[in-house]
Amino acid sequence: MAGDRPWTNREGIEEYNIRWHWITQSSTSGFTAVLRVKNEAKSLPFVLPPILRSVEHVLLVDNNSTDGTPQLARKIAGEEGLEEKLEVLSYPFEVSRCGPEHLATYPDSVHSLAYFYNWSFSHVRTRYALKWDGDMVLSPEGEQILRDLAWQLEGIEGVVTSPRSPVYVESEQVAYLDTSPGVTEPWGWRNSPAYTISKAFDWELRLPNPGDPVIRLPNHTCFELKWLEADEFAHWSHTEFKETINARKRREWELFYSLHSGAEMPEGVVRIESPKDIHVVKYLRKLFTETLRNMSTKRTMRSTTSES
């Protein structure tokens, strides 16, 4: 195991130096899902149970939540009978928002997004780390995929990528699923010195090393919650998303405000309405895979028709 020499921060706060727990010897796989969260109490009841069931360990790093996020996380884990899988840590510093604010922050500052991520991932003690957001919901099929990966990745140095479909939640019974094919990003990697996080232009960055095998998870693995009544872009210091470098975020911005204003539903978006006795997010979990497959089939048929 490595990590004897900590990474220091420019503020000189020794308690929050980065002390890595890299796995350098042969070991079984096992995922630690690392959730960096702030005020995710609304999403956690849907996010936490499936990820707790699917990985070896869940590390929730709370960044100054005011809505009881860490307390709720412990409560949910207890109700699931999986409290031994959950570890909650606190990161009490204001972290620079994505965009210009992030760009202007030194990467070795406790206020840097890259430093915050590296500090969070330095606590992983399993062979693989999994970057999981506080608004990402595993489908039932996604749960099985992650459980299978735990043994399939034994002895492999690789990177796991996964698309995630945005879901815009209007109410307890109505949501909108964007079925357009999304960009895949690195979400899982080997817990070793070769995999740390760097500062990029708008946010933190973790790219696959050249030559690493890349395992791409299916489109129906998970979806990402966006609440229409909330400020879903508060973690950005600007919202001028350029199509050339951030097409995904630009589409999310446009869809969010289109749906928020009640405009006509954009192409590729499916309205989901659940029965009154079940929350729309739970309802969507059950039909998420089928919905994506149906929409993919329709796109293929339209493409074939237009070509002929």
Side-chain angles (χ1 to χ4, degrees), residues 20-260:
W20 290 97
H21 292 86
W22 287 313
I23 302 294
T24 58
Q25 304 300 318
S26 177
S27 68
T28 57
S29 178
F31 280 110
T32 293
V34 182
L35 285 71
R36 299 91 38 236
V37 297
K38 183 171 185 176
N39 294 332
E40 292 285 6
K42 182 175 289 188
S43 297
L44 282 186
F46 310 106
V47 172
L48 210 49
I51 195 66
L52 280 168
R53 292 192 293 264
S54 305
V55 299
E56 185 175 331
H57 191 64
V58 172
L59 177 63
L60 186 140
V61 185
D62 184 66
N63 181 219
N64 293 330
S65 290
T66 57
D67 66 349
T69 286
Q71 295 85 356
L72 179 60
R74 293 188 183 96
K75 180 175 182 289
I76 292 170
E79 291 172 347
E80 294 289 322
L82 297 170
E83 57 266 39
E84 76 285 351
K85 281 192 172 186
L86 177 69
E87 180 181 2
V88 178
L89 299 177
S90 173
Y91 192 82
F93 310 104
E94 289 298 320
V95 176
S96 296
R97 296 173 296 169
C98 297
E101 195 172 291
H102 160 74
L103 187 62
T105 305
Y106 288 104
D108 61 345
S109 169
V110 295
H111 303 290
S112 162
L113 190 62
Y115 191 92
F116 172 40
Y117 271 54
N118 278 317
W119 185 87
S120 299
F121 282 93
S122 72
H123 293 82
V124 173
R125 289 177 169 82
T126 53
R127 181 178 173 86
Y128 267 81
L130 183 67
K131 177 185 174 186
W132 204 256
D133 291 350
D135 56 6
M136 287 169 56
V137 181
L138 268 174
S139 67
E141 293 82 2
E143 291 188 44
Q144 188 61 53
I145 289 168
L146 283 189
R147 286 195 290 268
D148 289 343
L149 272 178
W151 61 265
Q152 292 170 347
L153 288 173
E154 289 184 14
I156 295 177
E157 299 276 341
V159 172
V160 178
T161 68
S162 177
R164 63 203 192 279
S165 301
V167 172
Y168 302 83
V169 184
E170 177 181 288
S171 67
E172 291 190 359
Q173 264 66 59
V174 177
Y176 301 89
L177 168 64
D178 183 8
T179 67
S180 301
V183 177
T184 59
E185 298 179 25
W187 287 103
W189 50 78
R190 180 78 159 82
N191 181 23
S192 77
Y195 297 93
T196 57
I197 293 165
S198 302
K199 177 180 176 179
F201 187 80
D202 269 341
W203 53 73
E204 88 300 334
L205 189 63
R206 165 74 287 254
L207 292 176
N209 294 326
D212 284 348
V214 176
I215 299 94
R216 185 190 188 280
L217 302 186
N219 293 343
H220 58 264
T221 301
C222 70
F223 56 87
E224 182 180 58
L225 299 177
K226 298 184 180 302
W227 304 90
L228 288 179
E229 64 182 31
D231 183 358
E232 287 289 344
F233 301 90
H235 59 293
W236 282 83
S237 54
H238 79 96
T239 52
E240 298 172 1
F241 305 117
K242 294 180 173 60
E243 187 70 33
T244 52
I245 62 174
N246 205 344
R248 178 177 65 84
K249 188 56 63 176
R250 184 180 180 88
R251 178 171 173 82
E252 289 178 2
W253 168 266
E254 291 173 348
L255 283 183
F256 183 89
Y257 283 100
S258 176
L259 293 168
H260 195 275

